[in-house]
């Protein structure tokens, strides 16, 4: 039997334990800890220093990941303090690339210390989908206070980061991604809900792994998949009507199928499909502005015409249509594609897939180009975009030729294939072969480059979705539009290009520095909310009022007057910033916040 005093004492013990060496003297006395803990009373900075030293002492990335996972389960505040203050170092551990390694090993490194009465998220089997209300009830019982989650990242583990079908092991992705939503954009950690649909796996390796933690069955057919997923989504929607659903790492056809089915029925988006196009568009807009020739004179050659290549190209076409008022067919004519059979033309003699047909050239006469080199000579591109998975495809010869072709302007070169072993070229190669004139963005993170004989250090741009998905999540959670339109993504891409400061522009950086991610996320979320209100899809009077009552601030040198401009007012930005969660700065603040928002530490 417990009475009120017991539960007060229990919660004080819990808060005290998490405050750790920062526990104030009065709390130590009340909990009778004198003589049982070290006497030093520290502040959070000192704890962070110790945690960082411990993190750095781990010799492998996976060990660092495990250390951080256990730290998070013990002390959310310290974990996020550490992540925020060392974002550039830690983001690649809690997310790509290390999270991929963690997922591959997930069943072997679980549990990452999840103490009793804490939850990592939901593991939903096919049969659970028949009892979703019970699953949601269990989740609610576990939480210290029934505060609804406001964002979920949901995967079925079928296509994890290009590593293939990892089944339930894919849970590491929603967990890691939601940590980035919190760190990069200030979503409340206690209101994030990772979900894995444990519907089986087609991976023999996992089906035969004695430690595999998921359902040991092959994946169901499409009908069963869509019906079961519908039961999950409807139950979530019933229980938490304003919940933002981010679909993650589903197999390509299911990813498109789910998005098509749900995007206008509930608040949801797919980062692989929509976030990627958005972040590349942001970098491309920055590059076109700096290239030194009018946008309409760009000639863009894509190497690789798979789902990523065609998806990205479609977003870039929108840029010429929306910002430069070009008719869609004229904008489309600025694009050429090379796939494994050469330049994609309508008359090259093979049957093209529907997605390739859209970009097939009809103006090539008898000319066919079998290789990238031939296509380069034929197209004379101003921009070369690689989404081919072919390592080193942008050879020295090709890079040097891009430099010659664009002698009067700046060559745009985006080797976007991931991981590094598939990248079409490195930053160093691109800089060296273009006399340091390249406007560069890659899919993978390359190291900085010092221009030989100078102290001039150049930072490569990375088209990392991390720039946009946390901000889209924040914007959507705050203003809750009826649904998320393409133009909202477009506004975010514009705001991303606008968010570079003078130093970044002067250094030819196409993206803001990752250390500024919180500030950038606030700007992008403000642009999202402004666009959502302009489109009439926001019901909350609060946001409608502050968007309409304040003129957008001009933070862009773009004078095209386009309708989707990615702008926002200082008032909206200020409001967004005040609503972003951040870790408590002091133990006193932590104690007050733990009492008012007990859920933060439960996830
Ligand atoms: P995919 O396999 O669907 O497409 C690859 C394309 O490259 C196909 O058109 C294929 O014909 C072409 N290709 C392959 N070998 C070739 C060769 N030897 N010569 C000429 N063309 C060749 O792959 P998907 O899904 O389109 O992804 C491509 C790459 O893009 C991946 O490495 C992926 O990691 C990367 N990616 C990067 C993103 C980013 O930077 N944020 C986002 C999404 C994808």
């Amino acid at each position: 039997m417990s009475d009120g005093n017991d539960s007060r004492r229990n919660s004080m013990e819990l808060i005290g334990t998490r405050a750790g060496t920062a526990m104030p003297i009065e709390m130590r006395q009340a909990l009778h800890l004198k003589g049982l803990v070290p006497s030093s009373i520290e502040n959070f900075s000192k704890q962070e220093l110790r945690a960082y030293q411990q993190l750095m002492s781990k010799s492998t990335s996976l060990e660092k990941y495990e250390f951080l996972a256990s730290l998070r389960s013990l002390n959310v505040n310290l974990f996020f303090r550490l992540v925020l203050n060392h974002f550039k170092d830690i983001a690649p551990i809690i997310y790509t690339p290390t999270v991929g390694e963690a997922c591959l090993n997930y069943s072997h490194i679980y549990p990452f210390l999840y103490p009793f009465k804490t939850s990592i998220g939901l593991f939903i089997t096919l049969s659970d989908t028949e009892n979703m209300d019970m699953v949601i009830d269990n989740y609610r019982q576990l939480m210290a206070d029934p505060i609804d989650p406001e964002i979920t990242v949901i995967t079925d583990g079928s296509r994890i980061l290009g590593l293939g079908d990892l089944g339930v092991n894919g849970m590491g992705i929603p967990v890691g991604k939601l940590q980035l939503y919190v760190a990069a954009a200030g979503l409340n950690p206690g209101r994030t809900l990772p979900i894995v649909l444990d519907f089986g796996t087609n991976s023999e390796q996992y089906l035969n792994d004695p430690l595999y933690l998921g359902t040991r069955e092959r994946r169901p057919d499409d009908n069963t998949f869509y019906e079961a997923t519908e039961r999950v989504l409807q139950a979530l929607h019933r229980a938490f009507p304003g919940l933002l659903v981010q679909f993650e790492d589903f197999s390509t056809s299911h990813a498109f199928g789910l998005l098509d089915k749900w995007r206008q029925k509930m608040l949801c988006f797919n980062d692989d499909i929509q976030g990627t196009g958005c972040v590349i568009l942001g970098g491309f807009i920055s590059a076109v502005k700096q290239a030194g020739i009018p946008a309409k004179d760009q000639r863009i050659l894509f190497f690789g015409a798979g789902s990523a290549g065609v998806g990205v190209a479609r977003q870039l076409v929108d840029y010429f249509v929306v910002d430069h008022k070009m008719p869609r067919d004229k904008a489309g004519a600025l694009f050429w594609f090379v796939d494994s059979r050469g330049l994609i033309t309508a008359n090259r003699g093979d049957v093209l897939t529907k997605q390739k047909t859209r970009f097939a050239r009809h103006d090539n006469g008898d000319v066919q180009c079998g290789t990238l080199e031939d296509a380069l000579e034929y197209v004379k591109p101003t921009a070369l975009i690689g989404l081919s998975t072919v390592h080193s495809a942008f050879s020295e010869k090709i890079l040097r030729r891009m430099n010659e072709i664009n002698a009067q302007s700046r060559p745009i070169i985006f080797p976007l294939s991931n991981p590094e072993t598939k990248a079409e070229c490195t930053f160093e190669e691109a800089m060296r072969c273009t006399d340091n004139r390249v406007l560069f963005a890659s899919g993978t993170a390359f190291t900085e480059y010092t221009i030989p004989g100078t102290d001039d250090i150049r930072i490569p741009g990375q088209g990392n979705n991390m720039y946009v998905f946390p901000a889209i999540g924040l914007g959507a959670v705050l203003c809750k539009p009826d649904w998320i339109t393409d133009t909202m993504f477009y506004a975010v891409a514009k705001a991303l290009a606008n968010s570079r400061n003078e130093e970044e522009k002067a250094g030819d950086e196409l993206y803001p520095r990752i250390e500024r991610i919180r500030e950038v996320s606030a700007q992008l979320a403000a642009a999202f909310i402004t666009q959502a209100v302009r489109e009439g899809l926001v019901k909350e009077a609060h946001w409608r009022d502050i968007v309409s009552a304040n003129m957008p601030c001009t933070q862009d040198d773009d004078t095209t007057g386009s309708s989707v401009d990615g702008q926002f007012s200082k008032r909206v930005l200020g409001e967004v910033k005040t609503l972003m969660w951040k870790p408590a700065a002091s133990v006193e603040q932590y104690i007050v916040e733990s009492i008012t928002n007990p859920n933060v530490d439960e996830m």
Side-chain angles (χ1 to χ4, degrees):
M1 276 267 284
S2 73
D3 60 17
N5 284 338
D6 278 349
S7 74
R8 255 197 311 280
R9 185 184 160 82
N10 285 347
S11 80
M12 190 159 59
E13 277 175 358
L14 205 63
I15 295 167
T17 309
R18 285 170 177 156
T21 53
M23 200 191 318
I25 188 82
E26 307 76 40
M27 198 176 232
R28 293 171 184 221
Q29 281 162 355
L31 293 171
H32 305 290
L33 291 175
K34 190 79 186 120
L36 304 183
V37 291
S39 61
S40 180
I41 297 177
E42 297 186 313
N43 57 23
F44 283 172
S45 305
K46 208 163 264 166
Q47 288 186 337
E48 182 193 323
L49 181 66
R50 183 177 296 109
Y52 189 65
Q53 279 182 3
Q54 289 182 30
L55 176 68
M56 287 300 122
S57 74
K58 310 289 171 202
S59 45
T60 68
S61 301
L62 194 57
E63 282 168 9
K64 288 183 177 148
Y65 178 92
E66 289 179 87
F67 170 78
L68 288 167
S70 64
L71 178 62
R72 185 177 189 275
S73 68
L74 290 170
N75 192 335
V76 170
N77 197 68
L78 181 56
F79 169 81
F80 280 112
R81 208 186 142 97
L82 194 65
V83 176
L84 272 174
N85 290 334
H86 304 275
F87 191 80
K88 197 174 172 190
D89 295 342
I90 293 182
I93 303 170
I94 58 175
Y95 202 58
T96 56
T98 305
V99 74
E101 205 185 335
C103 286
L104 288 169
N105 293 288
Y106 188 83
S107 289
H108 292 251
I109 59 177
Y110 186 92
F112 311 115
L113 271 182
Y114 288 101
F116 182 59
K117 286 270 174 195
T118 60
S119 159
I120 178 180
L122 303 184
F123 297 79
I124 301 170
T125 63
L126 265 183
S127 61
D128 290 338
T129 65
E130 309 279 356
N131 295 296
M132 276 308 296
D133 292 341
M134 179 203 68
V135 171
I136 289 170
D137 251 22
N138 289 345
Y139 169 74
R140 279 195 156 130
Q141 300 278 333
L142 190 72
M143 304 308 281
D145 205 332
I147 299 176
D148 289 354
E150 50 194 9
I151 178 169
T152 178
V153 173
I154 182 167
T155 185
D156 69 348
S158 55
R159 188 179 186 262
I160 296 294
L161 300 174
L163 298 169
D165 181 353
L166 304 193
V168 80
N169 295 328
M171 183 53 144
I173 296 295
V175 169
K177 205 143 188 175
L178 283 164
Q179 289 171 356
L180 290 186
Y181 277 97
V182 175
L187 279 100
N188 183 334
R191 303 188 68 180
T192 61
L193 177 58
I195 298 181
V196 64
L197 301 176
D198 178 19
F199 290 178
T201 175
N202 291 340
S203 157
E204 291 300 330
Q205 184 194 340
Y206 294 126
L207 288 170
N208 295 321
D209 178 351
L211 289 185
Y212 180 63
L213 286 164
T215 303
R216 266 165 222 279
E217 280 169 17
R218 294 196 167 273
R219 288 188 178 273
D221 61 31
D222 275 3
N223 274 348
T224 313
F225 168 84
Y226 280 113
E227 282 168 17
T229 309
E230 177 158 352
R231 286 193 288 277
V232 173
L233 293 173
Q234 280 182 341
L236 287 170
H237 197 46
R238 255 193 326 272
F240 315 118
L243 183 73
L244 169 65
V245 176
Q246 194 235 280
F247 297 115
E248 177 73 17
D249 285 354
F250 284 88
S251 64
T252 306
S253 70
H254 286 169
F256 280 100
L258 287 173
L259 190 63
D260 285 350
K261 180 163 180 185
W262 293 101
R263 69 176 301 201
Q264 295 198 32
K265 294 191 184 127
M266 62 162 58
L267 198 53
C268 65
F269 74 102
N270 181 307
D271 183 49
D272 306 315
I273 299 169
Q274 297 165 292
T276 298
C278 181
V279 78
I280 303 303
L281 176 60
F284 185 76
I285 294 172
S286 298
V288 170
K289 281 183 182 171
Q290 273 178 253
I293 53 165
K296 67 173 177 39
D297 294 337
Q298 287 286 340
R299 299 165 66 82
I300 303 142
L301 180 59
F302 270 73
F303 185 60
S307 46
V310 173
V312 167
R314 284 164 62 167
Q315 299 266 355
L316 301 194
V317 170
D318 285 348
Y319 168 63
F320 294 98
V321 174
V322 177
D323 268 43
H324 296 283
K325 312 279 179 257
M326 291 176 76
R328 193 159 284 278
D329 57 335
K330 283 233 162 54
L334 303 179
F335 291 75
W336 286 258
F337 275 86
V338 170
D339 66 7
S340 50
R341 305 190 61 174
L343 189 69
I344 300 183
T345 62
N347 60 354
R348 80 175 180 186
D350 58 343
V351 179
L352 298 173
T353 59
K354 194 171 146 205
Q355 60 178 6
K356 289 183 187 177
T357 307
R358 182 178 164 166
F359 285 103
R361 299 302 300 196
H362 291 263
D363 56 357
N364 56 306
D366 292 335
V367 180
Q368 305 294 342
C369 305
T371 65
L372 177 60
E373 279 181 37
D374 293 347
L376 204 73
E377 290 313 322
Y378 173 65
V379 177
K380 303 238 168 12
T382 55
L384 181 59
I385 314 255
L387 283 155
S388 65
T389 71
V390 184
H391 186 236
S392 295
F394 297 170
S395 61
E396 275 212 31
K397 190 172 170 198
I398 285 185
L399 294 170
R400 289 194 190 285
R401 191 69 191 114
M402 272 300 283
N403 195 36
E404 286 164 12
I405 292 169
N406 295 283
Q408 305 306 317
S409 58
R410 307 276 301 272
I412 298 172
I413 300 176
F414 284 12
L416 294 174
S417 288
N418 277 326
E420 193 171 342
T421 50
K422 294 183 176 168
E424 287 82 1
C425 69
T426 66
F427 183 48
E428 187 261 330
E429 288 161 353
M431 286 292 279
R432 205 167 29 78
C433 298
T434 61
D435 304 327
N436 312 315
R437 297 169 61 249
V438 68
L439 295 167
F440 180 93
S442 55
T444 194
F446 285 113
T447 47
E448 299 166 354
Y449 176 73
T450 307
I451 297 178
T454 73
D455 295 331
D456 193 354
I457 298 171
R458 296 305 171 104
I459 298 171
Q462 189 192 1
N464 191 328
N465 293 27
M466 201 194 294
Y467 281 114
V468 298
F469 70 75
I472 290 163
L474 178 65
V477 159
L478 290 181
C479 78
K480 301 211 182 318
D482 294 343
W483 62 287
I484 303 178
T485 62
D486 288 340
T487 32
M488 292 177 205
F489 284 98
Y490 191 85
V492 168
K494 289 276 293 182
L496 176 60
N498 294 344
S499 70
R500 293 178 307 151
N501 61 26
E502 291 313 314
E503 190 188 352
E504 289 155 354
K505 284 184 200 165
D508 292 335
E509 292 162 46
L510 301 183
Y511 291 99
R513 298 211 182 138
I514 205 77
E515 293 87 340
R516 295 202 301 118
I517 187 89
R518 290 277 284 204
E519 168 63 27
V520 171
S521 292
Q523 292 182 20
L524 272 53
F528 178 97
I529 292 168
T530 303
Q531 184 62 30
V533 170
R534 284 174 173 171
E535 292 182 30
L537 290 171
V538 175
K539 292 209 175 60
E540 282 185 27
H542 172 69
W543 289 108
R544 287 210 313 263
D545 291 348
I546 62 169
V547 168
S548 7
N550 294 277
M551 293 295 290
C553 65
T554 302
Q555 37 124 24
D556 188 10
D557 51 7
D558 183 347
T559 52
T560 56
S562 59
S563 52
V564 188
D565 53 18
Q567 296 199 10
F568 48 84
S569 68
K570 287 197 173 104
R571 172 81 175 82
V572 173
L573 179 62
E575 183 74 1
V576 167
K577 283 185 179 173
T578 58
L579 293 168
M580 289 166 79
W581 180 88
K582 50 183 168 317
S586 67
V587 70
E588 292 75 21
Q589 190 190 353
Y590 177 67
I591 291 169
V592 171
E593 284 177 5
S594 298
I595 292 165
T596 51
N597 186 7
N599 254 350
V600 165
D601 283 308
E602 299 306 316
M603 288 289 296

